[in-house]
Amino acid sequence: MNMSSDFGGRISEARALVGQASRVVVLTGSGISAASGIPTFRGTGGIWGEMRVEDFATPEGFERDPLKVWNWYTSRRREAADARPNPGHQALAELQRRLEARGGSLVLVTQNIDGLHQEAGSKGVLELHGSLLRARCEACRHAADMPAETADAVPACDRCGARMRPDVVWFGEALPQDVYAAAVEASSRADVFLSVGTSAAVYPAAGLIEWALGSGAKTVEVNLEPTPISRLVTVALHGKADEILPRLAAADDD
Ligand code: BJW
Ligand code: ZN
């Protein structure tokens, strides 16, 4: 992390923006869970460096080799079950409690499927890309728990016998409509919009900041490295979310 006084000044600026806001929206991505041991997707050490997106995160990939994809998600389910929220997740949960205590709100929108925000105590989390904790029927959408053990065959639905699938959003699939609509609504009413640990490369999630900017919100980015939104934001903080968020969310000294 850049520890120059300039960086400290930008943290203070961002902290003041958050401190004065009553409606805060936070969009998170895989970078916030990196300190919990969950890999990110893009860049060094990222999942897509080792596995082909087309094979593991598209409906066509699942069609080609359902068991391979199913078991990849069961292994990620296990990885998430073994992981614990880190100080970044905890700072956002604490900030939500503090804002609500003074009549404000914090809407947490996440692209992550690992459930760590909820485990840290965040309420009403909007999961744009689904959840690793659930499977659903391809035909009738009946939901079931996603197992953490690998299987010899992709399980069938208890209700209708059709094939189950992980309840996540793959490329080319629509986001859950009600969840996305709630995220757009909150973003377009935000005083402050915070983007954390995301490469801001995957749409429509990456477009939420446009809704916030369009209605005059102040914007803050917390990410290890610059992204396409860095030049759009009011304050860009480049470093680790688990180190920066606790400083950003710290209660006022007064
Ligand atoms: C740290 C850190 C630390 C590391 N601290 N930071 C507009 C333009 C172009 C294309 C499109 C468009 N609109 C739609 C598209 C197509 C497509 C898309 O966006 N393609 C782009 C790649 C170009 N989008 C879709 O297909 C979406 N669906 C859709 O648009 O449907 C339309 C439709 C409508 C009606 C009917 C039918 C269709 C769906 C997108 C689904 C994405 N799914 C995945 C998999 C989910 C399940 C799973 O996890 O397996 O979601 S892909 C993957 O990317 C996952 C993530 O949620 C998502 C975002 O990744 P994220 O979280 O940003 O991770 P990284 O790795 O990219 O970035 C991490 C960052 O953290 C890095 O910058 C690091 O530096 C940083 N970092 N450690 C702070 N400690
Ligand atoms: Zn079914």
Side-chain angles (χ1 to χ4, degrees), residues 91-106:
L92 293 178
E94 174 58 28
L95 186 59
Q96 184 181 51
R97 286 191 285 273
R98 199 133 34 74
L99 275 157
E100 285 179 359
R102 61 170 159 85
S105 67
L106 183 151

PDB file of all heavy atoms in Angstrom, residues 91-106:
ATOM      1  N   ALA A  91     -15.747  -4.333   8.381  1.00  0.00           N
ATOM      2  CA  ALA A  91     -15.865  -2.870   8.391  1.00  0.00           C
ATOM      3  C   ALA A  91     -17.162  -2.433   7.700  1.00  0.00           C
ATOM      4  O   ALA A  91     -17.823  -1.491   8.135  1.00  0.00           O
ATOM      5  CB  ALA A  91     -14.650  -2.246   7.704  1.00  0.00           C
ATOM      6  N   LEU A  92     -17.540  -3.134   6.612  1.00  0.00           N
ATOM      7  CA  LEU A  92     -18.775  -2.754   5.902  1.00  0.00           C
ATOM      8  C   LEU A  92     -20.010  -3.080   6.741  1.00  0.00           C
ATOM      9  O   LEU A  92     -20.990  -2.324   6.737  1.00  0.00           O
ATOM     10  CB  LEU A  92     -18.847  -3.442   4.534  1.00  0.00           C
ATOM     11  CG  LEU A  92     -17.790  -2.978   3.515  1.00  0.00           C
ATOM     12  CD1 LEU A  92     -17.935  -3.767   2.217  1.00  0.00           C
ATOM     13  CD2 LEU A  92     -17.891  -1.476   3.239  1.00  0.00           C
ATOM     14  N   ALA A  93     -19.966  -4.203   7.469  1.00  0.00           N
ATOM     15  CA  ALA A  93     -21.104  -4.558   8.337  1.00  0.00           C
ATOM     16  C   ALA A  93     -21.243  -3.524   9.452  1.00  0.00           C
ATOM     17  O   ALA A  93     -22.343  -3.067   9.777  1.00  0.00           O
ATOM     18  CB  ALA A  93     -20.907  -5.958   8.915  1.00  0.00           C
ATOM     19  N   GLU A  94     -20.099  -3.111  10.008  1.00  0.00           N
ATOM     20  CA  GLU A  94     -20.093  -2.118  11.084  1.00  0.00           C
ATOM     21  C   GLU A  94     -20.593  -0.764  10.567  1.00  0.00           C
ATOM     22  O   GLU A  94     -21.389  -0.076  11.213  1.00  0.00           O
ATOM     23  CB  GLU A  94     -18.662  -2.009  11.641  1.00  0.00           C
ATOM     24  CG  GLU A  94     -18.407  -0.929  12.677  1.00  0.00           C
ATOM     25  CD  GLU A  94     -19.302  -1.076  13.899  1.00  0.00           C
ATOM     26  OE1 GLU A  94     -19.712  -2.209  14.202  1.00  0.00           O
ATOM     27  OE2 GLU A  94     -19.594  -0.032  14.538  1.00  0.00           O
ATOM     28  N   LEU A  95     -20.146  -0.398   9.377  1.00  0.00           N
ATOM     29  CA  LEU A  95     -20.573   0.882   8.788  1.00  0.00           C
ATOM     30  C   LEU A  95     -22.084   0.882   8.550  1.00  0.00           C
ATOM     31  O   LEU A  95     -22.756   1.891   8.770  1.00  0.00           O
ATOM     32  CB  LEU A  95     -19.811   1.118   7.473  1.00  0.00           C
ATOM     33  CG  LEU A  95     -20.024   2.458   6.794  1.00  0.00           C
ATOM     34  CD1 LEU A  95     -19.621   3.618   7.706  1.00  0.00           C
ATOM     35  CD2 LEU A  95     -19.215   2.529   5.488  1.00  0.00           C
ATOM     36  N   GLN A  96     -22.631  -0.247   8.126  1.00  0.00           N
ATOM     37  CA  GLN A  96     -24.085  -0.330   7.922  1.00  0.00           C
ATOM     38  C   GLN A  96     -24.820  -0.097   9.247  1.00  0.00           C
ATOM     39  O   GLN A  96     -25.779   0.663   9.308  1.00  0.00           O
ATOM     40  CB  GLN A  96     -24.461  -1.701   7.350  1.00  0.00           C
ATOM     41  CG  GLN A  96     -25.939  -1.831   7.033  1.00  0.00           C
ATOM     42  CD  GLN A  96     -26.295  -3.200   6.486  1.00  0.00           C
ATOM     43  OE1 GLN A  96     -25.945  -4.238   7.075  1.00  0.00           O
ATOM     44  NE2 GLN A  96     -26.971  -3.231   5.351  1.00  0.00           N
ATOM     45  N   ARG A  97     -24.335  -0.745  10.314  1.00  0.00           N
ATOM     46  CA  ARG A  97     -24.984  -0.578  11.628  1.00  0.00           C
ATOM     47  C   ARG A  97     -24.922   0.887  12.059  1.00  0.00           C
ATOM     48  O   ARG A  97     -25.889   1.444  12.558  1.00  0.00           O
ATOM     49  CB  ARG A  97     -24.293  -1.455  12.686  1.00  0.00           C
ATOM     50  CG  ARG A  97     -24.625  -2.946  12.536  1.00  0.00           C
ATOM     51  CD  ARG A  97     -24.146  -3.756  13.745  1.00  0.00           C
ATOM     52  NE  ARG A  97     -22.705  -3.963  13.758  1.00  0.00           N
ATOM     53  CZ  ARG A  97     -22.083  -4.974  13.153  1.00  0.00           C
ATOM     54  NH1 ARG A  97     -22.768  -5.882  12.484  1.00  0.00           N
ATOM     55  NH2 ARG A  97     -20.768  -5.098  13.205  1.00  0.00           N
ATOM     56  N   ARG A  98     -23.758   1.525  11.845  1.00  0.00           N
ATOM     57  CA  ARG A  98     -23.591   2.901  12.298  1.00  0.00           C
ATOM     58  C   ARG A  98     -24.485   3.857  11.501  1.00  0.00           C
ATOM     59  O   ARG A  98     -25.112   4.746  12.055  1.00  0.00           O
ATOM     60  CB  ARG A  98     -22.119   3.311  12.185  1.00  0.00           C
ATOM     61  CG  ARG A  98     -21.758   4.495  13.016  1.00  0.00           C
ATOM     62  CD  ARG A  98     -20.489   4.320  13.833  1.00  0.00           C
ATOM     63  NE  ARG A  98     -19.493   3.517  13.172  1.00  0.00           N
ATOM     64  CZ  ARG A  98     -18.738   3.929  12.144  1.00  0.00           C
ATOM     65  NH1 ARG A  98     -18.888   5.137  11.679  1.00  0.00           N
ATOM     66  NH2 ARG A  98     -17.845   3.128  11.623  1.00  0.00           N
ATOM     67  N   LEU A  99     -24.534   3.662  10.176  1.00  0.00           N
ATOM     68  CA  LEU A  99     -25.392   4.525   9.356  1.00  0.00           C
ATOM     69  C   LEU A  99     -26.853   4.363   9.752  1.00  0.00           C
ATOM     70  O   LEU A  99     -27.590   5.348   9.864  1.00  0.00           O
ATOM     71  CB  LEU A  99     -25.209   4.184   7.871  1.00  0.00           C
ATOM     72  CG  LEU A  99     -24.039   4.895   7.199  1.00  0.00           C
ATOM     73  CD1 LEU A  99     -23.574   4.118   5.971  1.00  0.00           C
ATOM     74  CD2 LEU A  99     -24.439   6.311   6.794  1.00  0.00           C
ATOM     75  N   GLU A 100     -27.281   3.114   9.965  1.00  0.00           N
ATOM     76  CA  GLU A 100     -28.686   2.870  10.323  1.00  0.00           C
ATOM     77  C   GLU A 100     -29.005   3.482  11.681  1.00  0.00           C
ATOM     78  O   GLU A 100     -30.094   4.015  11.872  1.00  0.00           O
ATOM     79  CB  GLU A 100     -29.011   1.375  10.287  1.00  0.00           C
ATOM     80  CG  GLU A 100     -29.120   0.901   8.841  1.00  0.00           C
ATOM     81  CD  GLU A 100     -29.409  -0.584   8.682  1.00  0.00           C
ATOM     82  OE1 GLU A 100     -29.508  -1.294   9.707  1.00  0.00           O
ATOM     83  OE2 GLU A 100     -29.532  -1.024   7.525  1.00  0.00           O
ATOM     84  N   ALA A 101     -28.037   3.444  12.610  1.00  0.00           N
ATOM     85  CA  ALA A 101     -28.269   4.007  13.948  1.00  0.00           C
ATOM     86  C   ALA A 101     -28.512   5.509  13.876  1.00  0.00           C
ATOM     87  O   ALA A 101     -29.183   6.076  14.733  1.00  0.00           O
ATOM     88  CB  ALA A 101     -27.093   3.697  14.854  1.00  0.00           C
ATOM     89  N   ARG A 102     -27.966   6.162  12.828  1.00  0.00           N
ATOM     90  CA  ARG A 102     -28.242   7.597  12.726  1.00  0.00           C
ATOM     91  C   ARG A 102     -29.229   7.919  11.594  1.00  0.00           C
ATOM     92  O   ARG A 102     -29.225   9.002  11.032  1.00  0.00           O
ATOM     93  CB  ARG A 102     -26.949   8.404  12.632  1.00  0.00           C
ATOM     94  CG  ARG A 102     -26.046   8.134  11.454  1.00  0.00           C
ATOM     95  CD  ARG A 102     -24.955   9.235  11.426  1.00  0.00           C
ATOM     96  NE  ARG A 102     -23.767   8.894  10.683  1.00  0.00           N
ATOM     97  CZ  ARG A 102     -23.634   9.054   9.384  1.00  0.00           C
ATOM     98  NH1 ARG A 102     -24.622   9.516   8.652  1.00  0.00           N
ATOM     99  NH2 ARG A 102     -22.490   8.738   8.784  1.00  0.00           N
ATOM    100  N   GLY A 103     -30.049   6.928  11.244  1.00  0.00           N
ATOM    101  CA  GLY A 103     -31.154   7.172  10.314  1.00  0.00           C
ATOM    102  C   GLY A 103     -30.780   7.078   8.850  1.00  0.00           C
ATOM    103  O   GLY A 103     -31.597   7.381   7.972  1.00  0.00           O
ATOM    104  N   GLY A 104     -29.562   6.678   8.555  1.00  0.00           N
ATOM    105  CA  GLY A 104     -29.133   6.526   7.164  1.00  0.00           C
ATOM    106  C   GLY A 104     -29.259   5.079   6.710  1.00  0.00           C
ATOM    107  O   GLY A 104     -29.902   4.257   7.376  1.00  0.00           O
ATOM    108  N   SER A 105     -28.638   4.776   5.562  1.00  0.00           N
ATOM    109  CA  SER A 105     -28.702   3.397   5.077  1.00  0.00           C
ATOM    110  C   SER A 105     -27.420   3.051   4.322  1.00  0.00           C
ATOM    111  O   SER A 105     -26.745   3.931   3.773  1.00  0.00           O
ATOM    112  CB  SER A 105     -29.901   3.222   4.139  1.00  0.00           C
ATOM    113  OG  SER A 105     -29.691   3.976   2.961  1.00  0.00           O
ATOM    114  N   LEU A 106     -27.114   1.775   4.319  1.00  0.00           N
ATOM    115  CA  LEU A 106     -26.027   1.268   3.479  1.00  0.00           C
ATOM    116  C   LEU A 106     -26.564   0.040   2.745  1.00  0.00           C
ATOM    117  O   LEU A 106     -26.971  -0.930   3.386  1.00  0.00           O
ATOM    118  CB  LEU A 106     -24.799   0.893   4.307  1.00  0.00           C
ATOM    119  CG  LEU A 106     -23.573   0.424   3.490  1.00  0.00           C
ATOM    120  CD1 LEU A 106     -22.263   0.765   4.223  1.00  0.00           C
ATOM    121  CD2 LEU A 106     -23.597  -1.063   3.187  1.00  0.00           C
TER     122      LEU A 106
END
